Amino acid sequence: MWSSSAVASNRAVLLTLSLLQLTRGSPVVTSGVSNYSFPDDFIFGVSSAAFQIEGGWNEGGKGESIWDTYLHDHPTFTLDHNNGDVAADSYHHYMEDIEMIKSLGVQAYRMSISWTRILPNGTDNYINQEGVKYYRTMFEELLKANITPVVTLFHWDMPTPFMNFGGWTNAKVIDYFEDYARVAFKLYGDLVKMWLTINEPHENCESTYGLAVLAPALNSHGVGVYLCTHNSLLAHARVYRMYEKEFKPEQKGKVSIVLDSMWGEPKDPNNPEDVQAAENYLQMHLGMLAHPIFSEEGDYPPFVRERINNMSREQGYSRSRLPYFTDEEVKALRGSADFLGLNHYTTQLLSPSPMEPTWQVPSLYHDTGVKMEADPLWRMPGPDWLFVYPPGLRKLVNWVQNNYKIFKEIPIFITENGSSDFGGTEDYERVNYYNDYLYQLLLAIHEDGCNVKGYFSWSLMDDFEWTDGFTTKFGLFYVDFDSPNRTRTPKLSAYNYGNIVRTRRIDFDYIKRLKGLNTTKQEDSS
Ligand SMILES: *[C@@H]1O[C@H](CO)[C@@H](O)[C@H](O)[C@H]1NC(C)=O
Ligand SMILES: *[C@@H]1O[C@H](CO)[C@@H](O)[C@H](O)[C@H]1NC(C)=O
Ligand SMILES: *[C@@H]1O[C@H](CO)[C@@H](O)[C@H](O)[C@H]1NC(C)=O
Ligand SMILES: *[C@@H]1O[C@H](CO)[C@@H](O)[C@H](O)[C@H]1NC(C)=O
Ligand SMILES: *[C@@H]1O[C@H](CO)[C@@H](O)[C@H](O)[C@H]1NC(C)=O
Ligand SMILES: *[C@@H]1O[C@H](CO)[C@@H](O)[C@H](O)[C@H]1NC(C)=O
């Protein structure tokens, strides 16, 4: 999930609103069945991440990740003072999870491996066979059910021993990540053919290393954030090239990375400065990670390089806070992906600003120089960073498609997208959200010619949402965190998503019929 990040500090005063929705140029459909359908080769899936659902934090020989350690040491770090020790207890209930995934009819399940479940201390000198067996069984059962496992190697749960010497800010971790990836490819490469190296390096580096939003809250603003970004990119390239050389000829799998981005909408689309600010934002937050991998020329985008060099110089640094790649590294990174995994949740209105009260100096946000605010008309059914603006997904996909020619040849997968609320199974907001965003995706595919080949909803079930603990719900399935069995119940959005997956079209009236309702869009009840 995309998590709070700096957006959280940008609390917009939300007006109570009814059905008014600012569309900014895109059609809104509220009834009927979409005329477009998702192509036959389009893959539908659901997503999860190990730390957010598994629990079993010290069972079966698992070692500690920084999320275990930090939350035990700082029990009030999360909103509800909970931790991930049990979470949705998928360590014990994974067969129920598979039944749920089957019931949705999806073709794929995106999940992550907990590094310290198979390598308890992070290093490959000792492989924990109980952990190995857990994931092997999971992959076998998924394949039996005709569900393709899509596996993330790193979804933020850095082994604690590595975090003690800096995590991703220490380039040595790249070697250990390569060792871990090799172990995973050897163990599971016969079953897993779609790998994702790192989940959202942008969000992870900014919120963990640059701010104090994600554990262990290092707050190395403007410096640590770029060391982390740089090393995450290098680690990705290292693992991609290693797979290419040692495993791909035989295993024939695909490897990529998951990048995250909100959409940046110019506050005033007729003001060239706002238009430029939006472009600058996207280059600094998405281009910084996408350009080295997907552009023809490689390396950081020229604008990003120049901007951070300038800011560093003006601030009296004798070197740029953004490290440099060697020519060899530029080459290793360029083209190091067989597709793009793209996570998207929300949109902000952007305009230029040299300084805002919430920014630290130096920082990624200060370097970017772009003010972010939400449109007061946008809905916000869950936490205070997730504003609903469905056309954002279409625009973001178009930005990616138009910035990097490579997407004429390799596809884009939406590896996460979803909506949050504060609970319950009658989740009309989420139903609307999926309908509206997937409709925008249909337009991106059919009217804009974007090469999008898959969509993974975040998330399969309610989970541990990092700093939000269990207060924020993203699931298609409700999880009763008060029950020792962590009982799972389908929400309306699960039935709705299942119908989209089965029919490959969006039926805007499906849930209304299912519930015998006569209304169009439900009023916000929160
Ligand atoms: C499908 O096309 C018809 C005819 O153009 C149009 O009236 C209708 O609104 C469309 N339905 C949707 C859901 O886009
Ligand atoms: C992991 O590290 C701890 C502490 O250094 C050590 O006691 C333990 O033996 C190590 N475990 C393995 C499996 O290497
Ligand atoms: C960097 O500084 C130079 C010299 O002041 C200036 O010409 C250039 O426009 C700046 N570039 C960026 C991206 O800020
Ligand atoms: C994608 O995320 C947005 C939040 O920005 C949400 O409104 C939308 O419903 C999501 N789309 C889908 C199809 O899940
Ligand atoms: C938990 O599951 C077990 C086994 O299915 C069942 O016997 C028990 O009643 C359940 N407990 C609760 C509180 O639901
Ligand atoms: C439609 O639903 C509303 C409440 O949701 C109710 O007040 C109204 O009577 C219903 N109308 C019909 C024709 O069923």
Side-chain angles (χ1 to χ4, degrees), residues 416-443:
E416 280 182 30
N417 176 240
S419 149
S420 52
D421 58 23
F422 297 114
T425 55
E426 306 269 300
D427 57 341
Y428 292 99
E429 286 275 3
R430 187 172 288 101
V431 168
N432 291 339
Y433 198 85
Y434 279 107
N435 286 344
D436 295 347
Y437 272 71
L438 281 166
Y439 184 71
Q440 293 295 325
L441 202 56
L442 280 176
L443 297 179

Side-chain angles (χ1 to χ4, degrees), residues 29-36 439 506 508:
V29 180
T30 54
S31 66
V33 179
S34 66
N35 295 317
Y36 291 125
Y439 184 71
I506 300 160
F508 289 88

Side-chain angles (χ1 to χ4, degrees), residues 303 306-307 310 313:
F303 169 79
E306 216 180 287
R307 176 96 191 161
N310 278 4
R313 196 172 46 246

Side-chain angles (χ1 to χ4, degrees), residues 398-427:
N398 271 279
W399 189 90
V400 169
Q401 181 83 39
N402 295 332
N403 265 264
Y404 310 109
K405 286 198 190 112
I406 198 169
F407 294 113
K408 290 199 174 76
E409 284 131 47
I410 68 170
I412 300 166
F413 289 85
I414 308 302
T415 34
E416 280 182 30
N417 176 240
S419 149
S420 52
D421 58 23
F422 297 114
T425 55
E426 306 269 300
D427 57 341

Side-chain angles (χ1 to χ4, degrees), residues 197-218:
T197 54
I198 300 176
N199 179 66
E200 301 189 359
H202 161 265
E203 176 63 18
N204 181 50
C205 291
E206 173 59 3
S207 292
T208 298
Y209 296 81
L211 299 170
V213 173
L214 294 177
L218 297 180

